[in-house]
Amino acid sequence: MNQVSQATPTQAPPAPEAPKNNRANIKKDAVKVYLFTGALLVFFVIGLLFFLRPTVSEEEKRTLTEFPQLTWEGLLSGEWFSGVSTWYADTFPMRDGFISINQAIKNLYGIRTMQIVQNPQTQIGNNPSNPTATPGDENDSAAVEKFDYVFVKGNRAFEIYSFSEEASNRYASIISEAAAKMPRQRVYNLIVPLSYSVNLTEREQKQIGAANIPNAIAYMYDRMSDAVTTIDLYPDLLAHKNEELYFRTDHHWTARGAYYAYAAYCRSTGQVPLPLDGWQKLTFEGFLGSLYRSAGKPAQLEKEPDVVEAWIPNSTNKMRTFLNDTKKWTDEYPIIRKNPNYYAAAGSKYNTFIAGDHPLIEITNPNPAATNGKTLILVKESYGNALAPFFVDQYAKVCIVDYRFFRSATGKTLPQYAEEVGADEVLFLNYIYATAQGQRLGNLEYLVGIE
């Protein structure tokens, strides 16, 4: 009888043991993951500490995003959560230090990752106001260097504006609606050109793809209602283009440039502007502004800092200020800070004008009989800071409303406030770049009460 042999089942060979060096690498990788995760958690917790979070960026010369107010509408729409996310990212502790380190590293390696953000070439309306004079010197062949929203030519930096038809229409509509909501007040609008439209040649403006600013302003003015009186400042600036109307290292205009806006406004309202040499002048040296930082702190700008000029009102140098952080009034601020060492940092010297940005400032002339007897509301962003002091001797009362913070700080709309103070005139002042920013347009709509 044949016997069937039974095969022994084949057993799988035992798995080879991981080499000791592989096990060590796995442990090292795990430690790295734990350390990285722990560091993220530490940074996250630090980021939640409100008392460490900055409210103003000296590097970027702006007020940082505020923590959003909690409302049912915001919760349901999701806007509140989006606002918290923006606040968290914009106000992280030591943000200015990180920005400076980042820019220093880029400079070491010659990195220029910033790009020009602009719309395609766009025809602006059918009735542009072509300038009669050509800005700049057509024979100047100095090289122009590109940065993010910024161009540097020699020792001067320029912020670049791109025209948006949608934003321009929206801006014109907001100003028109404001005039409709304030029928008892005369409403004026003044859009300030950027420095490149005055200091760069037309050829250079085309080379860098910058929008034609006079045409853009004319486009917005043509779409405002007849209840708005518009002021064309561009010819005045061109007539004085050889003066320092704009800072070379900062996106703001100088007080000298603002003076010509004051003069243009006076003429528009039938008044005679006071002469510039009729006020006491102060100078503050060593100003390196926002464009210097945005451009990566180039050496050619650092070697030649700006000089800040300021003129003190004759009637009073005191103002009543409503602070954004405390939501209370204080009488402690001067209109022009006389102490040259008060704003010692190179990037903070523009704050000498009305102590920087606040939701509301009220200046009462102690001798109203020597004025036109009227109350003026100046609705502004930071460009209005250098302009406001010139109105003090002209008006019985000057109310300065920063539309970025006013309503959230006071709970009032602009029409409500205008009635409260018995305003005679309301001047909306914006530099043209602000008219193209969705956030600024939203601020204006909220201020006016456009839901």
Side-chain angles (χ1 to χ4, degrees):
M1 186 174 180
N2 294 333
Q3 293 182 346
V4 179
S5 61
Q6 295 182 351
T8 302
T10 303
Q11 295 181 351
E17 292 186 3
K20 290 183 179 180
N21 58 341
N22 282 354
R23 290 199 299 269
N25 289 337
I26 291 172
K27 289 182 179 179
K28 288 180 180 178
D29 290 340
V31 170
K32 292 178 182 178
V33 169
Y34 292 142
L35 290 175
F36 179 74
T37 303
L40 287 179
L41 288 174
V42 170
F43 273 97
F44 178 75
V45 171
I46 292 175
L48 290 177
L49 300 177
F50 279 70
F51 64 89
L52 289 179
R53 305 190 76 90
T55 58
V56 175
S57 172
E58 291 295 338
E59 280 291 317
E60 299 171 290
K61 287 292 295 172
R62 67 181 178 89
T63 301
L64 302 177
T65 303
E66 295 182 341
F67 191 83
Q69 185 176 1
L70 181 61
T71 63
W72 281 113
E73 292 79 9
L75 281 174
L76 294 176
S77 66
E79 291 183 1
W80 185 80
F81 296 100
S82 177
V84 171
S85 177
T86 301
W87 163 82
Y88 184 87
D90 198 39
T91 62
F92 198 84
M94 299 177 292
R95 67 184 310 281
D96 277 3
F98 289 128
I99 290 174
S100 296
I101 292 171
N102 178 54
Q103 289 175 336
I105 292 174
K106 288 180 178 180
N107 285 341
L108 285 175
Y109 288 92
I111 297 174
R112 289 288 182 265
T113 59
M114 299 175 268
Q115 298 178 347
I116 301 299
V117 179
Q118 62 184 41
N119 298 319
Q121 297 295 331
T122 307
Q123 292 294 329
I124 305 177
N126 296 318
N127 53 352
S129 57
N130 293 322
T132 57
T134 301
D137 179 3
E138 293 292 344
N139 297 318
D140 188 351
S141 58
V144 177
E145 188 175 0
K146 291 186 178 182
F147 296 94
D148 187 17
Y149 296 96
V150 179
F151 285 83
V152 175
K153 178 186 176 184
N155 66 348
R156 185 178 293 275
F158 302 91
E159 185 177 21
I160 304 305
Y161 160 78
S162 296
F163 174 77
S164 166
E165 184 174 335
E166 179 183 358
S168 297
N169 290 338
R170 185 179 172 189
Y171 179 77
S173 176
I174 294 169
I175 303 302
S176 299
E177 182 66 19
K181 288 178 174 287
M182 294 183 290
R184 291 162 57 90
Q185 286 78 35
R186 289 290 304 273
V187 174
Y188 298 83
N189 186 252
L190 195 159
I191 300 175
V192 183
L194 290 180
S195 62
Y196 75 76
S197 66
V198 176
N199 295 116
L200 288 182
T201 67
E202 291 179 343
R203 171 176 52 81
E204 289 169 337
Q205 293 178 44
K206 291 177 180 178
Q207 285 178 339
I208 63 180
N212 184 301
I213 283 182
N215 291 359
I217 293 175
Y219 179 92
M220 286 182 270
Y221 281 175
D222 287 346
R223 281 152 182 78
M224 294 181 186
S225 73
D226 293 338
V228 180
T229 301
T230 60
I231 301 172
D232 184 7
L233 181 60
Y234 188 66
D236 294 81
L237 297 180
L238 273 186
H240 297 274
K241 66 181 182 181
N242 293 326
E243 301 177 34
E244 290 293 340
L245 306 179
Y246 297 88
F247 292 113
R248 292 177 294 98
T249 69
D250 191 73
H251 70 285
H252 292 104
W253 58 1
T254 64
R256 189 176 294 271
Y259 170 78
Y260 293 115
Y262 153 77
Y265 181 78
C266 286
R267 293 195 301 270
S268 182
T269 57
Q271 304 177 79
V272 177
L274 301 175
L276 187 58
D277 60 6
W279 291 294
Q280 179 189 354
K281 177 184 172 183
L282 298 177
T283 58
F284 306 91
E285 298 182 351
F287 178 41
L288 293 171
S290 58
L291 298 185
Y292 162 73
R293 290 182 291 274
S294 296
K297 301 182 179 180
Q300 65 266 37
L301 297 185
E302 187 173 0
K303 289 179 181 178
E304 298 185 55
D306 279 301
V307 175
V308 177
E309 296 178 314
W311 283 268
I312 303 175
N314 294 320
S315 54
T316 181
N317 196 36
K318 296 180 181 179
M319 62 187 188
R320 182 171 178 249
T321 307
F322 193 83
L323 300 181
N324 199 29
D325 51 355
T326 63
K327 305 296 188 290
K328 294 180 180 179
W329 286 100
T330 177
D331 295 321
E332 297 177 356
Y333 286 95
I335 297 171
I336 299 295
R337 184 76 67 174
K338 296 182 179 181
N339 182 357
N341 298 319
Y342 189 86
Y343 297 111
S348 66
K349 297 184 186 297
Y350 188 75
N351 289 334
T352 191
F353 304 109
I354 64 172
D357 298 319
H358 299 287
L360 175 62
I361 293 171
E362 293 182 351
I363 305 171
T364 301
N365 194 309
N367 186 16
T371 70
N372 59 19
K374 295 181 178 180
T375 294
L376 168 68
I377 296 179
L378 171 62
V379 182
K380 60 86 182 179
E381 25 78 9
S382 57
Y383 252 65
N385 297 4
L387 172 63
F390 293 115
F391 290 120
V392 173
D393 293 326
Q394 202 90 8
Y395 285 82
K397 187 171 185 177
V398 178
C399 306
I400 306 164
V401 168
D402 193 315
Y403 65 83
R404 297 167 295 178
F405 319 115
F406 176 83
R407 187 173 177 184
S408 61
T410 67
K412 303 171 185 176
T413 65
L414 180 63
Q416 290 171 339
Y417 178 68
E419 286 299 306
E420 177 184 308
V421 297
D424 301 284
E425 300 169 7
V426 177
L427 169 60
F428 286 88
L429 180 109
N430 276 285
Y431 88 119
I432 194 169
Y433 195 81
T435 69
Q437 293 180 308
Q439 182 179 1
R440 295 290 165 258
L441 296 176
N443 294 149
L444 276 171
E445 288 170 335
Y446 186 57
L447 173 79
V448 173
I450 300 174
E451 306 299 337

